[in-house]
Amino acid sequence: MKKITIAIDGYSSTGKSTVAKMLAQELGYVYVDTGAMYRAVTLYAMRKLFIKAGHFDKEALIRHLFMVSVKFQMNAETGIADVYLNGENVEREIRTLEVSNFVSQIAAIPEVRKLLVQKQHEMGKEKGIVMDGRDIGTVVFPDAELKVFMTASADERARRRFEELKAKGDAVSYEAVLENVQKRDKLDTSRADSPLVQAEDAILLDNTHTNIEDQFHILLQLAKDRIFGRC
């Protein structure tokens, strides 16, 4: 069966990662969460105090990028690959609101993007991959056979993220999460290097009122159409 490259881009908290994992599992494809890679670099910068409230030493981070190793390793219990930063499993640490507050600033640095895009290219050389992020269909895999751009209202995305964090036991307020979503939208769409934008040939999927199961079946049908040459 022909293998294809599937690029899923979109705004934060639209459920890209969840549905991309489901799709990859169904197709037997490799799944790569590029947002997790940027979160791992952000966590590194936070731990080194290169970035914190009111302070961001970009040059220091750039000088230390050669020391940053971001890899994925399969978790035998969950069946999903976890993110490792310099050999440490940081899957939980990178999902906090604190990391979310800084990740768009880290992702805007050209040197960081160059490093991670190179890694992403290497991961997708053999096709048979589902990759989600902000610039997969526009920069990383502009020739992907299937490109999808996911969006939803900021209020709905903040509600989903708030419920997710609350379920993990994180003490956050809905207002703080909504502010973070709106801030990230602005930073992601206005950065100079590879801003968040829908590729011309991407299919728009607004899931404000669509559940994960329905999104999965929509994407699965789109993928099958391309795998079997029906479009």
Side-chain angles (χ1 to χ4, degrees):
M1 187 170 63
K2 182 180 76 172
K3 289 186 176 181
I4 66 172
T5 298
I6 301 173
I8 302 177
D9 291 309
Y11 292 92
S12 65
S13 301
T14 49
K16 297 188 303 296
S17 298
T18 301
V19 73
K21 289 174 188 174
M22 295 170 65
L23 184 60
Q25 187 172 31
E26 179 69 20
L27 296 173
Y29 278 20
V30 173
Y31 165 67
V32 178
D33 175 1
T34 64
M37 299 173 75
Y38 287 99
R39 284 176 172 272
V41 176
T42 302
L43 181 63
Y44 177 85
M46 292 169 63
R47 287 177 170 180
K48 293 293 185 180
L49 302 181
F50 297 150
I51 191 168
K52 58 184 179 180
H55 170 77
F56 186 13
D57 190 341
K58 295 181 184 180
E59 296 305 318
L61 174 58
I62 292 170
R63 288 197 303 272
H64 284 75
L65 280 178
F66 77 97
M67 300 176 64
V68 179
S69 170
V70 180
K71 295 182 179 180
F72 291 91
Q73 185 173 319
M74 187 59 67
N75 184 317
E77 294 183 4
T78 65
I80 298 171
D82 288 340
V83 182
Y84 281 72
L85 171 63
N86 293 339
E88 175 193 353
N89 188 327
V90 293
E91 186 63 33
R92 178 168 177 77
E93 288 85 347
I94 64 172
R95 306 296 177 181
T96 64
L97 187 60
E98 288 77 14
V99 170
S100 295
N101 282 331
F102 295 124
V103 67
S104 290
Q105 291 173 263
I106 298 295
I109 300 175
E111 289 82 357
V112 172
R113 301 200 69 81
K114 181 179 179 181
L115 172 69
L116 297 187
V117 167
Q118 180 180 5
K119 293 180 180 294
Q120 292 154 18
H121 275 143
E122 293 171 359
M123 293 175 184
K125 283 190 297 187
E126 304 301 322
K127 294 187 178 289
I129 191 168
V130 180
M131 191 174 288
D132 75 84
R134 301 289 191 279
D135 62 352
I136 311 306
T138 54
V139 175
V140 183
F141 295 121
D143 297 324
E145 289 86 349
L146 175 58
K147 300 179 188 178
V148 177
F149 189 89
M150 294 176 63
T151 187
S153 70
D155 288 339
E156 176 60 19
R157 287 185 285 130
R159 184 194 67 78
R160 294 172 186 171
R161 182 69 173 144
F162 172 66
E163 294 296 335
E164 179 184 337
L165 291 170
K166 191 168 66 171
K168 292 179 180 179
D170 293 349
V172 297
S173 67
Y174 169 80
E175 290 74 19
V177 176
L178 177 59
E179 181 181 359
N180 171 256
V181 166
Q182 293 171 331
K183 176 184 175 183
R184 291 185 65 189
D185 286 354
K186 183 176 181 180
L187 289 171
D188 288 342
T189 56
S190 62
R191 67 183 179 226
D193 189 359
S194 304
L196 172 63
V197 62
Q198 181 181 343
E200 290 185 3
D201 53 347
I203 295 170
L204 179 65
L205 178 57
D206 187 329
N207 63 26
T208 302
H209 306 294
T210 308
N211 62 39
I212 288 293
E213 284 296 326
D214 287 343
Q215 294 170 52
F216 164 69
H217 288 295
I218 290 170
L219 292 180
L220 180 60
Q221 187 59 57
L222 289 170
K224 286 182 175 179
D225 287 345
R226 284 149 181 80
I227 291 169
F228 296 106
R230 294 195 290 259
C231 67

